[in-house]
Amino acid sequence: MQITLQIKCPTCLSGNIKKNSCKVDGKQNYQCKDCKRQFIGDHALSYQGCNSGITSKILHLMVRGSGVRDIAEVECISVGKVLRTLSQSTYQIQPKQSYYESLEVDEFWTFVGNKQNKQWLIYAYHRETGEIVAYVWGKRDLATVQRLKAKLKTLGVQYTRIASDLWDSFVTAFKNYKQAIGKFFTVGIEGNNCKIRHRIRRGFRRSCNFSKKLENHFKAFDLTFFYINNGFI
């Protein structure tokens, strides 16, 4: 029985590979002819954290509601590998349109470290396309809503109507726009809040999963929002 292994360079994904002697433990060493990277094939790895496809798998599990320790346990890798993959991710959303007839805005409560360290997410959502257009982090106050309004302007986003609940900060910040005020007009974004809580473990209600570092907290939401808007990582 003959088994054929297709080996690609983990750095440049080139298939132009050659054998390059053996490691001290007897495992076959390979070298990429294009970028000169030396590596061991995935089939011979002792630690799965070095697998060429593990980064993509970690990111996909994160946006499907898995926690850091859950991923480490299932994939037989270290917690540090999972956290390092998250901290090195650089996902940012960009508006897909320059004009939206109507945007819904709402606030989303999270915390970092303990429940006294609240981190409020305030964002704009387009119901027709299911797109998260822009978001900011801060306190639950008028200044943070003003920063969201300024970010929409910086991104070149124009809109005719803003739908929000009865919170005074939304009413005041967008007073120069046509407004639809009340829970009836924010059904779309309230449903999206539920989706976020299902997609990201840090957003679960009544859960022991939470971020200990502010940077990782923001990175996790950046990753999830990119996935919600685009459907891929």
Side-chain angles (χ1 to χ4, degrees):
M1 182 177 180
Q2 187 176 11
I3 299 175
T4 302
L5 297 175
Q6 291 185 345
I7 300 176
K8 291 186 177 182
C9 174
T11 300
C12 66
L13 301 180
S14 170
N16 194 15
I17 306 298
K18 69 175 182 178
K19 291 183 178 180
N20 190 39
S21 188
C22 293
K23 297 291 187 181
V24 292
D25 56 4
K27 293 180 180 179
Q28 180 64 58
N29 189 42
Y30 298 92
Q31 184 179 39
C32 176
K33 294 182 180 179
D34 295 335
C35 69
K36 309 304 180 184
R37 162 84 184 267
Q38 295 189 47
F39 61 94
I40 299 174
D42 290 344
H43 62 284
L45 291 174
S46 300
Y47 172 57
Q48 292 305 309
C50 297
N51 192 298
S52 59
I54 195 64
T55 297
S56 177
K57 187 177 289 187
I58 290 171
L59 296 177
H60 272 93
L61 287 171
M62 281 188 171
V63 298
R64 301 301 298 188
S66 296
V68 171
R69 284 166 180 78
D70 294 334
I71 298 172
E73 179 69 22
V74 171
E75 296 299 326
C76 300
I77 57 179
S78 67
V79 171
K81 172 64 178 180
V82 181
L83 290 173
R84 190 159 53 250
T85 301
L86 176 62
S87 64
Q88 292 174 352
S89 63
T90 56
Y91 291 92
Q92 293 292 329
I93 62 172
Q94 292 294 328
K96 297 181 180 181
Q97 304 176 35
S98 59
Y99 174 76
Y100 298 87
E101 177 67 26
S102 177
L103 291 177
E104 299 175 25
V105 292
D106 198 15
E107 72 273 19
F108 186 93
W109 177 80
T110 66
F111 69 93
V112 174
N114 58 73
K115 291 187 177 181
Q116 283 67 48
N117 185 15
K118 297 179 180 179
Q119 299 296 325
W120 285 92
L121 168 71
I122 298 179
Y123 72 105
Y125 176 78
H126 187 233
R127 186 191 300 190
E128 284 71 21
T129 59
E131 178 189 356
I132 298 172
V133 180
Y135 61 96
V136 294
W137 291 93
K139 297 180 179 180
R140 188 178 184 270
D141 56 15
L142 178 60
T144 307
V145 181
Q146 295 282 16
R147 287 200 292 113
L148 174 63
K149 180 181 177 182
K151 187 170 185 178
L152 288 169
K153 184 177 180 180
T154 301
L155 293 171
V157 175
Q158 298 181 346
Y159 44 93
T160 300
R161 188 181 74 164
I162 285 289
S164 68
D165 54 26
L166 297 172
W167 186 30
D168 292 342
S169 296
F170 285 143
V171 176
T172 302
F174 296 100
K175 61 183 178 181
N176 294 328
Y177 293 88
K178 183 180 178 181
Q179 292 183 321
I181 301 173
K183 290 292 185 180
F184 176 81
F185 302 102
T186 59
V187 173
I189 197 168
E190 293 291 351
N192 191 66
N193 288 344
C194 183
K195 180 191 291 186
I196 293 173
R197 294 197 185 279
H198 281 81
R199 283 281 182 262
I200 182 168
R201 197 59 177 263
R202 289 164 172 81
F204 280 20
R205 293 187 184 274
R206 296 184 179 181
S207 169
C208 60
N209 295 274
F210 59 90
S211 300
K212 295 182 180 179
K213 291 177 62 179
L214 196 62
E215 179 187 2
N216 288 345
H217 190 73
F218 292 161
K219 289 273 189 178
F221 276 85
D222 291 342
L223 175 68
T224 303
F225 289 169
F226 184 91
Y227 180 76
I228 290 175
N229 280 5
N230 299 286
F232 65 88
I233 293 296

